[in-house]
Amino acid sequence: MILPRTDHPGEFLVFRTTARRRVLALALAVLGTTSLAACTTGPGQDGNRPRASAAPADPAARPDLRRFYGQKLSWRPCGGVQCASLTVPMDYARPGDGRTFVLPLARAATAVKGKRLGSLVLNPGGPGESGVKLVEDGVAEDLGRGVRERFDVVSFDPRGVGRSTPALTCLTGSRAEAEEAAVDEAPLLPRTDAERTAALAGARSQAAACRKASGPLLPHVGTQDAARDLDVLRAALGERRLTYVGWSYGTSLGTSYAEQFPRRVRAMVLDGAVDPSLDWRQRVLGQSTGFRDAVEEYAASCADVVGEGCPGASPEEIRALIDRLLERTRREPLPVDGSEDGLDAAGLVGALSLSMYTPEAQWEGLSEALRAADDGDGTRLAALAAGDEEAPDADAEGDAPDAGGVAEPASDVPEDNSEAALIAVNCLDVPHPRDPRAYWDALAPAREAAGDYGTSGVTSELVCEDWPAGTQRPHRVDAAGVPPVLVVGTTGDPATPYDEAVSLARQFPGGMLLSFDAPGHTGYGRDACVDRKVEAYLVSLTKVRPGTRCAS
């Protein structure tokens, strides 16, 4: 089963975030191309199709890009798949200045001779997720036989991400220095001037660390440039047109590609859709409400998914337990093995939220963690809040590892730099207010709409308050000439709300919507019905009829 991840534990203590900032900053950053510049949506919110515009000049037709577009990939065996590298200009406005990114590629050559249609390019989301790792971890086996027989499965680490060279980092100095410099997190709802000052100082300190460690890269890691890299990859693969699947943030990458290169798309699946017309407050409120509703769905449906392992005999008992733990952790953190800090209310909100992505895989572990917490042990919830896929076994010998207990990397860039990439891409793609009052003004409406999840969503965006500005603004999709794009929307998706999938499908000319009636984040790879519809589209370009739905 494909499990597109948008969550990773921070590698260094300079990123020693509580789960409150982690889960909602991560999920919000997944959404990429939004704006804080205005409090209203972009034009055309009545759902009408975008008007066709004059076709822009081909952004790849410049002579100074020929050496990049003319690359020949040299594939070599590596860990059961094939690897290669792709060189792209760091700055597409100045491609001849000598500065480049070298992007690692991975390919599972699965196409059957005589049946091959080409390459299928994937992006797992994030921003900050490694496409190379996705392929190395065997994603091709999860795509279905029909897709594997017709396509070689390819992915890459986007510019600044994972094993790309250079790569982003927000680590400055040694691990010990990072720990010493770490600041306390803000409460779920910073009310007093002192709490707000501390929250802003922490966010600015984090942003300053990123600028110090990765300053020259920060203006060049946005989604628009990554989409141009995707077209260079298409050419290097020898494909006349691109066949693409993007999950979560990968839908922003795909949308940007379709806008810049509409006539180079063969087939495009956007699963867990991001609506580029929304501004920041709409997105915070929509997503925060999604997480709150997902936790409510957990209480209501736990018995159906987990059975007797639920932490309460009824939905009412589960809700009461969660409320009891929230109140308890607001007063005093729960003890956590191997940690002096314990689990506070922000950590509890984060553990709950991160456990909503894939109910069939996560709710059992969450249930066990909640029962342990009710007995006074926050260790399992702390592990979930740190992004661990499985909570530690309370009966296992030895202490649970500290959330920050990772091996020292061989270089200044950690092996997993997803958090640095996530912040950098989100802050560049999304113009944020420079006045902190804009964030404080948003707290009350967010709390009214989504409680603790709403206020966490607002404060998670503070790190972008003092960041290099990008050029993106909220806008409706402008991709005249693109063939029908398939958008997959999961009705109970907490991270990319279903309404955004509905809106995005309407914005694409000829856009198609496949609805998946289920909780959890994204649909392709989680449900046989969704998989069949997606496969028929990818292989045969079979259209999905209006109103088509799959149910878990």
Side-chain angles (χ1 to χ4, degrees):
M1 177 182 65
I2 301 167
L3 189 59
R5 292 289 303 268
T6 55
D7 50 283
H8 277 290
E11 287 286 344
F12 299 96
L13 294 179
V14 71
F15 279 123
R16 189 176 58 187
T17 62
T18 64
R20 177 259 308 150
R21 189 158 79 189
R22 159 150 296 286
V23 66
L24 293 178
L26 261 61
L28 288 166
V30 162
L31 304 177
T33 55
T34 60
S35 172
L36 293 175
C39 293
T40 58
T41 58
Q45 284 296 300
D46 59 0
N48 293 332
R49 302 284 187 187
R51 291 189 297 270
S53 58
D58 187 340
R62 291 164 37 186
D64 53 1
L65 292 176
R66 284 176 185 162
R67 71 183 184 96
F68 298 103
Y69 272 88
Q71 292 176 79
K72 304 298 183 184
L73 299 177
S74 178
W75 295 101
R76 63 190 184 280
C78 61
V81 296
Q82 297 175 334
C83 295
S85 61
L86 182 78
T87 301
V88 296
M90 182 173 291
D91 185 351
Y92 275 95
R94 299 173 180 83
D97 66 3
R99 296 181 301 160
T100 62
F101 284 102
V102 179
L103 310 182
L105 314 176
R107 177 175 72 175
T110 58
V112 175
K113 186 176 181 179
K115 293 186 177 181
R116 186 180 187 275
L117 291 174
S119 297
L120 171 62
V121 180
L122 310 178
N123 180 273
E129 293 300 306
S130 167
V132 169
K133 188 174 187 301
L134 183 74
V135 176
E136 291 177 339
D137 287 348
V139 68
E141 294 302 314
D142 299 320
L143 294 178
R145 180 178 176 181
V147 169
R148 293 197 309 273
E149 288 183 345
R150 297 302 186 100
F151 296 100
D152 293 329
V153 178
V154 178
S155 194
F156 64 105
D157 287 359
R159 51 176 55 213
V161 171
R163 304 172 207 173
S164 79
T165 305
L168 290 159
T169 181
C170 294
L171 175 66
T172 58
S174 69
R175 184 181 177 83
E177 290 171 342
E179 181 173 6
E180 183 177 350
V183 296
D184 291 335
E185 294 293 333
L188 286 172
L189 175 59
R191 299 177 184 273
T192 67
D193 288 343
E195 289 174 340
R196 293 180 176 184
T197 298
L200 187 60
R204 287 176 172 173
S205 176
Q206 189 176 31
C210 296
R211 288 196 302 272
K212 181 178 180 180
S214 299
L217 305 185
L218 298 183
H220 304 294
V221 294
T223 299
Q224 287 182 312
D225 283 335
R228 299 200 66 174
D229 298 342
L230 187 56
D231 197 55
V232 175
L233 173 59
R234 173 203 57 77
L237 290 169
E239 303 294 344
R240 187 173 66 87
R241 294 190 297 165
L242 177 71
T243 302
Y244 175 84
V245 174
W247 290 274
S248 203
Y249 163 78
T251 69
S252 283
L253 181 60
T255 297
S256 182
Y257 183 88
E259 290 186 308
Q260 296 184 72
F261 307 97
R263 300 185 187 279
R264 294 219 184 102
V265 175
R266 174 189 170 272
M268 179 171 286
V269 177
L270 305 179
D271 185 5
V274 178
D275 181 354
S277 72
L278 300 182
D279 67 43
W280 84 285
R281 290 183 66 160
Q282 291 169 318
R283 194 166 305 288
V284 167
L285 292 179
Q287 191 176 64
S288 301
T289 301
F291 279 113
R292 182 203 63 191
D293 291 347
V295 174
E296 172 62 26
E297 178 65 20
Y298 161 72
S301 302
C302 181
D304 295 333
V305 177
V306 179
E308 295 181 357
C310 293
S314 67
E316 291 73 23
E317 287 189 12
I318 297 173
R319 294 186 192 101
L321 167 60
I322 292 172
D323 290 343
R324 186 164 65 245
L325 288 174
L326 277 169
E327 186 61 33
R328 181 176 178 178
T329 52
R330 281 192 179 95
R331 295 194 305 268
E332 183 178 4
L334 287 172
V336 172
D337 291 346
S339 170
E340 296 181 0
D341 297 326
L343 180 84
D344 62 8
L348 173 58
V349 168
L352 289 166
S353 300
L354 279 174
S355 299
M356 297 299 111
Y357 281 78
T358 315
E360 61 270 25
Q362 296 178 292
W363 281 6
E364 183 175 357
L366 173 63
S367 298
E368 294 172 355
L370 287 172
R371 286 200 307 272
D374 201 31
D375 290 335
D377 182 3
T379 303
R380 292 188 175 193
L381 281 176
L384 296 177
D388 292 349
E389 292 189 29
E390 296 182 0
D393 188 343
D395 297 327
E397 294 183 4
D399 293 335
D402 186 356
V406 296
E408 195 73 24
S411 68
D412 290 339
V413 178
E415 180 179 353
D416 175 6
N417 72 337
S418 57
E419 186 155 350
L422 182 151
I423 294 172
V425 176
N426 184 46
C427 292
L428 185 64
D429 278 359
V430 184
H432 284 66
R434 299 300 186 185
D435 187 346
R437 288 177 295 184
Y439 303 91
W440 312 140
D441 290 346
L443 285 172
R447 181 171 178 78
E448 182 178 355
D452 291 330
Y453 304 92
T455 57
S456 295
V458 171
T459 56
S460 72
E461 294 297 305
L462 278 171
V463 69
C464 297
E465 175 261 353
D466 185 22
W467 199 271
T471 60
Q472 291 284 72
R473 295 294 184 272
H475 67 282
R476 290 180 63 80
V477 174
D478 184 4
V482 73
V485 169
L486 176 58
V487 179
V488 181
T490 302
T491 55
D493 195 323
T496 51
Y498 175 71
D499 287 348
E500 296 194 37
V502 174
S503 177
L504 186 64
R506 289 174 177 168
Q507 292 177 47
F508 274 105
M512 303 174 293
L513 176 66
L514 173 59
S515 300
F516 177 38
D517 294 317
H521 184 44
T522 72
Y524 183 37
R526 292 181 56 209
D527 178 75
C529 171
V530 174
D531 294 353
R532 288 193 299 271
K533 301 292 186 184
V534 170
E535 180 173 307
Y537 167 71
L538 290 173
V539 172
S540 304
L541 302 181
T542 303
K543 293 184 178 181
V544 172
R545 295 179 179 178
T548 300
R549 311 187 76 89
C550 292
S552 60

